[in-house]
């Protein structure tokens, strides 16, 4: 069968084909015109990071570093066809911005020329302007020094407490005694003092702790931009201002390790002086009319050891205002007796070691244990009531004999106590 002959005339006689062909041709012409005659526009690209390359640079060879601001960004305006530079077609990642350091040959602030180029060497657009031609950068050598911190009161008040209170600048307490200053050599070397500024705006009646800002000085307060204090751009430290109240109070003592019967009814005593004029530390809690001048451990008390003295300078919460330097205490130990006991092997325990046991302890080295109490109460005490515990935690024992402290206690007695301190010999094989 003979195939019909196909001709272009027949094809273009087809209405549907003509419509599709016209659309395709029109689109092609539109693309050609858009590319060839597209409008030229300008667009701003923002936040391009500026690189300051210090490796093998002039300032690097001179030992200079950057202090203060070291990160910069710049904006550029580009010009080109819309289909190349329009919208978000270009970003900061398409550009290199570099600051020139070739002329930095001394310490101080320098204006660095910023050069911006397209990463694509074949980029078909033009960089027409920059938001800045220069950036300001501070260069200097690194230095550090440590300087003592001095409290400095900032106040318009002539007196910092009411008349019956006491505040002494020499009592100001602060943990940060020195500050390490690091940074630009020019600024570090200018510092001669560091102050912890304490602002007091009203009279004080209680001890208080404030956050004080550290201020550097060279005779005048300095506002330094290129140094750090203990690694921080600015530094505050807690400062405690002890405030005392002036009072006339009676004196007393405290006891520790007392048998239960003596907790509420302690041993009677006399103390001299019985009354003192003092300045008592005000810490926000209820103040007492009695000044505790010292503490007596019951292990120190015996019928013959009943006199104690305490140094007034060791009382942390009070200042003597009447010249008192010492306190003397006499315990009333009438009726007390003592008795000696030999401990039994089963009464010893050892803790704090994986290798040493009670079998390594020479019990005889402990000696006799002295117990104090009234005679009637001592009659009820037996060796079975006395125990010895040895804690070796943290102790470094050598090969051979070692003398270690013992904790000796008495069980099931409310009114007797162990007198003295004891040690035992531990043998390491």
């Amino acid at each position: 069968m003979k195939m019909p002959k196909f001709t272009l005339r027949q094809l273009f006689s087809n209405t549907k084909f003509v419509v599709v062909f016209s659309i395709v041709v029109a689109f092609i012409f539109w693309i050609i015109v858009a590319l060839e005659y597209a409008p030229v526009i300008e667009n701003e690209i923002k936040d391009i990071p500026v690189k300051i390359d210090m490796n093998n640079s002039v300032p690097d060879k001179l030992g200079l570093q950057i202090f203060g601001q070291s990160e910069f960004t710049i904006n550029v305006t580009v010009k080109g066809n819309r289909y190349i530079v329009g919208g978000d077609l270009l970003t900061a990642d398409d550009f290199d911005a570099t600051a020139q350091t070739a002329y930095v040959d001394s310490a101080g602030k320098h204006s660095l020329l910023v050069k911006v180029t397209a990463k694509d060497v074949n980029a078909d657009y033009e960089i027409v302007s920059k938001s800045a031609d220069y950036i300001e950068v501070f260069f200097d050598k690194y230095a550090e020094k440590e300087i003592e911190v001095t409290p400095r009161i900032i106040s318009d008040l002539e007196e910092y407490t009411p008349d019956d209170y006491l505040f002494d600048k020499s009592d100001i307490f602060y943990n940060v005694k020195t500050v390490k200053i690091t940074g630009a050599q020019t600024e570090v070397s200018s510092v001669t003092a560091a102050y912890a500024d304490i602002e007091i705006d009203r009279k004080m009646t209680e001890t208080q702790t404030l956050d004080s800002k550290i201020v550097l000085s060279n005779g005048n307060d300095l506002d330094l931009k290129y140094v750090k204090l203990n690694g921080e751009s600015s530094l505050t430290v807690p400062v405690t201002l002890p405030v005392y109240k002036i009072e006339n109070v009676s004196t007393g003592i405290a006891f520790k390790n007392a048998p239960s019967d003596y907790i509420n009814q302690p041993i009677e005593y006399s103390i001299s002086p019985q009354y003192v004029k003092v300045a008592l530390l005000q810490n926000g809690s209820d103040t007492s009319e009695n000044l505790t001048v010292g503490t007596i451990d019951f292990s120190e008390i015996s019928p013959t050891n009943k006199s104690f003295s305490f140094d007034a300078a060791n009382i942390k919460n009070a200042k003597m205002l009447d010249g008192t330097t010492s306190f003397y205490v006499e315990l009333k130990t009438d009726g007390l007796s003592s008795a000696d006991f030999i401990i039994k092997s089963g009464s010893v325990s050892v803790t704090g070691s994986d290798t040493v046991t009670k079998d390594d302890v020479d019990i005889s080295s402990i000696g006799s244990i002295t117990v104090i109490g009234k005679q009637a109460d001592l009659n009820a005490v037996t060796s079975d009531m006395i125990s010895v515990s040895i804690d070796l935690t943290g102790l470094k024992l050598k090969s051979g004999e070692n003398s270690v402290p013992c904790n000796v206690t008495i069980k099931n007695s409310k009114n007797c106590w162990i007198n003295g301190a004891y040690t035992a010999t531990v043998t390491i094989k």
Side-chain angles (χ1 to χ4, degrees):
M1 182 172 112
K2 188 177 181 180
M3 295 293 293
K5 188 177 181 179
F6 177 78
T7 64
L8 288 175
R9 184 174 182 179
Q10 290 176 324
L11 183 61
F12 279 94
S13 296
N14 188 316
T15 305
K16 292 182 179 179
F17 172 78
V18 171
V19 170
V20 173
F21 180 78
S22 299
I23 293 174
V24 171
V25 171
F27 179 74
I28 293 172
F29 273 97
W30 179 82
I31 292 293
I32 293 173
V33 172
L35 293 177
E36 186 68 24
Y37 301 100
V40 174
I41 64 169
E42 291 185 354
N43 192 17
E44 186 180 38
I45 313 302
K46 296 182 177 181
D47 300 327
I48 302 169
V50 178
K51 300 175 184 176
I52 308 175
D53 190 0
M54 292 288 289
N55 292 330
N56 295 318
S57 63
V58 173
D60 181 46
K61 293 181 182 300
L62 295 175
L64 300 176
Q65 302 179 22
I66 295 175
F67 294 94
Q69 184 179 357
S70 60
E71 295 183 359
F72 299 84
T73 60
I74 196 170
N75 303 336
V76 299
T77 299
V78 297
K79 182 178 181 181
N81 290 331
R82 182 190 299 274
Y83 67 87
I84 296 177
V85 303
D88 296 328
L89 294 173
L90 295 178
T91 67
D93 292 335
D94 293 307
F95 299 87
D96 280 325
T98 306
Q100 309 298 307
T101 60
Y103 297 100
V104 178
D105 57 2
S106 62
K109 186 175 288 187
H110 292 266
S111 296
L112 305 185
L113 177 65
V114 179
K115 182 180 180 181
V116 183
T117 59
K119 291 182 179 179
D120 184 359
V121 294
N122 298 315
D124 192 13
Y125 55 82
E126 177 187 3
I127 298 175
V128 296
S129 66
K130 304 190 293 285
S131 58
D133 292 322
Y134 296 88
I135 58 173
E136 299 292 328
V137 182
F138 187 86
F139 293 84
D140 205 343
K141 292 183 178 180
Y142 174 84
E144 61 182 45
K145 71 162 62 171
E146 191 165 348
I147 195 165
E148 184 178 353
V149 174
T150 302
R152 181 173 66 175
I153 294 177
I154 308 298
S155 179
D156 293 330
L157 301 175
E158 294 183 3
E159 299 291 338
Y160 305 126
T161 61
D163 291 341
D164 52 347
Y165 288 82
L166 177 65
F167 168 69
D168 191 333
K169 294 179 184 178
S170 63
D171 292 329
I172 295 176
F173 177 80
Y174 52 104
N175 281 326
V176 180
K177 301 297 184 182
T178 61
V179 62
K180 186 176 183 180
I181 308 170
T182 59
Q185 184 182 58
T186 305
E187 293 194 342
V188 171
S189 61
S190 70
V191 178
T192 58
Y195 297 105
D197 278 354
I198 304 166
E199 296 186 5
I200 301 178
D201 55 9
R202 60 178 179 271
K203 291 188 176 183
M204 302 178 293
T205 57
E206 286 187 356
T207 297
Q208 53 186 291
T209 300
L210 308 173
D211 287 329
S212 298
K213 183 179 180 180
I214 299 297
V215 178
L216 303 179
S217 172
N218 65 350
N220 296 306
D221 289 355
L222 300 172
D223 183 17
L224 303 182
K225 298 179 180 179
Y226 307 117
V227 301
K228 291 187 175 181
L229 308 177
N230 290 354
E232 303 290 339
S233 298
S234 61
L235 181 66
T236 58
V237 297
V239 175
T240 300
L241 311 180
V243 175
Y244 299 80
K245 187 176 182 181
I246 300 173
E247 296 187 45
N248 291 295
V249 296
S250 60
T251 56
I253 57 171
F255 294 95
K256 68 178 182 179
N257 297 321
S260 58
D261 280 359
Y262 287 91
I263 293 177
N264 295 323
Q265 292 184 337
I267 295 177
E268 294 184 13
Y269 62 88
S270 61
I271 186 170
S272 176
Q274 188 175 357
Y275 294 93
V276 288
K277 183 178 182 180
V278 296
L280 287 177
L281 183 66
Q282 304 298 291
N283 57 10
S285 60
D286 293 335
T287 58
S288 172
E289 295 181 356
N290 178 277
L291 176 65
T292 300
V293 302
T295 301
I296 298 176
D297 193 320
F298 256 72
S299 66
E300 301 176 276
I301 302 172
S302 70
T304 57
N305 189 35
K306 56 184 179 179
S307 299
F308 299 86
S309 64
F310 299 93
D311 190 342
N314 293 329
I315 303 175
K316 304 301 182 183
N317 65 333
K319 291 176 176 290
M320 300 298 129
L321 302 180
D322 57 6
T324 299
T325 59
S326 299
F327 296 90
Y328 300 93
V329 177
E330 191 76 17
L331 301 181
K332 296 182 179 180
T333 58
D334 298 342
L336 293 180
S337 298
S338 65
D340 293 333
F341 296 86
I342 301 298
I343 60 173
K344 297 182 178 180
S345 59
S347 300
V348 177
S349 63
V350 177
T351 59
S353 175
D354 296 330
T355 58
V356 179
T357 68
K358 65 180 181 179
D359 294 333
D360 299 312
V361 179
D362 180 4
I363 297 177
S364 64
S365 65
I366 301 174
S368 61
I369 306 298
T370 300
V371 180
I372 306 298
K374 294 179 180 180
Q375 189 60 56
D377 299 322
L378 287 175
N379 292 337
V381 177
T382 65
S383 295
D384 293 331
M385 298 169 61
I386 300 173
S387 61
V388 176
S389 61
I390 301 174
D391 186 3
L392 301 178
T393 303
L395 297 181
K396 294 183 179 180
L397 303 181
K398 62 182 180 179
S399 179
E401 294 184 350
N402 299 268
S403 181
V404 298
C406 300
N407 181 33
V408 184
T409 56
I410 182 170
K411 300 177 290 184
N412 302 321
S413 177
K414 298 180 179 180
N415 39 41
C416 294
W417 62 91
I418 303 296
N419 176 239
Y422 298 88
T423 60
T425 298
V426 175
T427 302
I428 304 299
K429 298 177 182 180

